[in-house]
Amino acid sequence: MLSEKEKHGISELLDSMRVEDLQSLAQTVTSRLLVPENSFEAIQAIILHTDKASDLLKRRKIKKELLFKYLHYKRIPIESISDKSVHVSRVLEAWGSNDSQDLLNIMDSDNSLEGPPPAPVPSRNASHTSLCSLDMNREVLGRVETFNQLRRSGSSNSIMNYDENSSSSFVFDDQSRAATSSSMSMSQCQELAISFVRWYFQLLNSTVESDMTDWSTSHFWPDASAKVSLMSTTGELTECVEVLHNAGEVSTMLVQVFRKYKLKCNPNICEEGVRGKLSPHGLVIVLACGTLHNQHTACGVFEQVFSLIRDPGADNNWKIKQTEARLVGGPVSEVPSITNSQLEAVTFC
């Protein structure tokens, strides 16, 4: 069985793959018995039905280039000319895997002897209108278009587009301008939440280091509000910063707090670390948690809740209406989970 650290690592790694590759990989792992409709369902199926992390990393869909970019993102040095087996070994070491298998003889498990070719992905029913598909803009994930460039175009399928040769943000083709937020399925809402969290924290981390990013007030509603609380290990409030109804001040404050303490966030990108919930009126609440890092040290954990609303005056793009974060300093003893969240902004069932 996979450890929690391996599940988290696999989720991080797979998040950078094209949705069609994830669907194909999920079908292979499940012996063609499941055909996931989106990237979130595919990743969950792959993790659930994988016994050993090393077995998954051997598959043909898991390219050496993908492993190299993942190791680079994790700041783990490796020679780019090394064999795939060496890359697999380094990734397993980063995950604390106990696999004793000989990794020097990597074999493709994704070959034609495994079974029939992948089953075609069924088209969605017209009632399953799609969302904008957000992706992230860090080195591991390659090209994405900025969150405010999410568009709704003309069919009923949502497609993740990934371009390794670009460093901007990602494109989620949410295809039906007539569709409304309230038409989302639960899986679509969760997929939006995970994609938003990837996009937001990658952009925030980049902006902490440099002003030359896409961070701006355009990602917030003009009357947006934000609150950041810094807590000690014992739960004592050491600092609290709050801005009400001012997008400009919110945008500046969120960056300044992290710059002041030289902090970066590493969200737990999986079902245990991110949750999305949709209100009947189309408001999407996103709750995320993860670890805090200062230089190369894990120095605490965080949790943050966002309220997202579409802006009909800006091509129906999602914008942040309100956000609240808790930053808790101290040793990290377990993988952060939303089940332990202390934020009371929303109740997740």
Side-chain angles (χ1 to χ4, degrees):
M1 297 294 294
L2 298 174
S3 67
E4 289 302 315
K5 192 171 183 179
E6 285 174 326
K7 291 178 181 179
H8 177 64
I10 290 173
S11 179
E12 279 188 323
L13 178 68
L14 298 183
D15 271 334
S16 63
M17 293 179 63
R18 295 174 182 272
V19 63
E20 57 266 27
D21 289 337
L22 282 173
Q23 290 170 326
S24 175
L25 182 58
Q27 290 179 62
T28 298
V29 170
T30 62
S31 300
R32 320 296 182 198
L33 297 178
L34 293 179
V35 183
E37 292 188 338
N38 53 53
S39 58
F40 173 73
E41 290 180 5
I43 291 174
Q44 294 303 306
I46 291 167
I47 291 175
L48 180 62
H49 298 287
T50 295
D51 292 326
K52 289 185 176 182
S54 59
D55 291 342
L56 177 65
L57 297 184
K58 291 178 187 179
R59 298 194 181 270
R60 181 185 300 169
K61 292 292 184 185
I62 307 297
K63 306 291 187 182
K64 187 183 87 169
E65 184 178 6
L66 176 68
L67 298 172
F68 178 82
K69 289 183 177 181
Y70 177 77
L71 290 169
H72 174 73
Y73 165 68
K74 288 295 187 180
R75 297 297 185 262
I76 299 174
I78 189 171
E79 292 186 2
S80 59
I81 60 174
S82 299
D83 291 339
K84 179 182 176 182
S85 60
V86 180
H87 286 70
V88 170
S89 180
R90 289 291 178 84
V91 171
L92 292 175
E93 289 174 6
W95 295 347
S97 177
N98 294 322
D99 287 358
S100 59
Q101 196 170 354
D102 181 10
L103 297 173
L104 297 179
N105 186 23
I106 295 293
M107 296 177 60
D108 277 339
S109 299
D110 246 359
N111 54 40
S112 60
L113 299 179
E114 275 196 315
V121 179
S123 59
R124 288 180 183 264
N125 188 289
S127 64
H128 289 86
T129 53
S130 66
L131 284 179
C132 323
S133 132
L134 299 156
D135 232 358
M136 73 190 262
N137 111 12
R138 62 192 180 206
E139 294 141 313
V140 177
L141 292 184
R143 184 176 199 276
V144 280
E145 290 208 357
T146 60
F147 183 58
N148 275 338
Q149 290 175 340
L150 293 175
R151 302 277 184 181
R152 301 174 67 92
S153 51
S155 86
S156 60
N157 290 332
S158 60
I159 304 170
M160 293 268 193
N161 295 315
Y162 170 57
D163 181 353
E164 306 171 334
N165 300 318
S166 173
S167 60
S168 71
S169 50
F170 101 24
V171 184
F172 180 116
D173 277 334
D174 170 21
Q175 303 157 343
S176 175
R177 283 191 176 273
T180 63
S181 303
S182 59
S183 66
M184 291 186 206
S185 65
M186 290 180 62
S187 64
Q188 286 176 320
C189 187
Q190 181 67 9
E191 186 175 6
L192 170 62
I194 288 178
S195 298
F196 169 78
V197 168
R198 280 194 258 114
W199 168 83
Y200 176 84
F201 287 107
Q202 191 281 330
L203 182 56
L204 176 62
N205 289 341
S206 298
T207 307
V208 169
E209 290 186 338
S210 169
D211 290 322
M212 303 299 292
T213 70
D214 292 325
W215 184 273
S216 73
T217 58
S218 65
H219 304 312
F220 302 86
W221 280 87
D223 60 346
S225 299
K227 179 179 179 180
V228 179
S229 301
L230 284 77
M231 320 284 289
S232 67
T233 307
T234 59
E236 180 183 358
L237 180 65
T238 60
E239 183 178 345
C240 182
V241 186
E242 185 171 11
V243 174
L244 299 176
H245 315 307
N246 189 311
E249 293 182 7
V250 165
S251 176
T252 300
M253 181 271 283
L254 290 172
V255 174
Q256 285 181 343
V257 169
F258 285 87
R259 282 183 177 172
K260 178 180 178 180
Y261 297 99
K262 299 180 180 178
L263 295 175
K264 288 189 176 182
C265 296
N266 185 23
N268 183 15
I269 304 290
C270 63
E271 191 171 10
E272 291 77 19
V274 178
R275 188 66 56 83
K277 188 173 182 179
L278 178 67
S279 78
H281 302 290
L283 173 71
V284 171
I285 303 296
V286 176
L287 178 63
C289 62
T291 52
L292 289 171
H293 299 259
N294 185 325
Q295 300 292 332
H296 300 293
T297 304
C299 59
V301 296
F302 76 89
E303 55 191 22
Q304 188 163 358
V305 65
F306 303 86
S307 299
L308 307 180
I309 304 177
R310 285 193 183 277
D311 184 356
D315 291 332
N316 223 20
N317 295 320
W318 292 100
K319 290 187 177 182
I320 301 170
K321 177 69 172 178
Q322 185 175 3
T323 183
E324 180 180 353
R326 295 178 74 255
L327 314 181
V328 183
V332 181
S333 57
E334 60 184 12
V335 177
S337 171
I338 57 175
T339 58
N340 301 322
S341 174
Q342 300 298 312
L343 288 175
E344 298 179 355
V346 65
T347 301
F348 286 90
C349 302

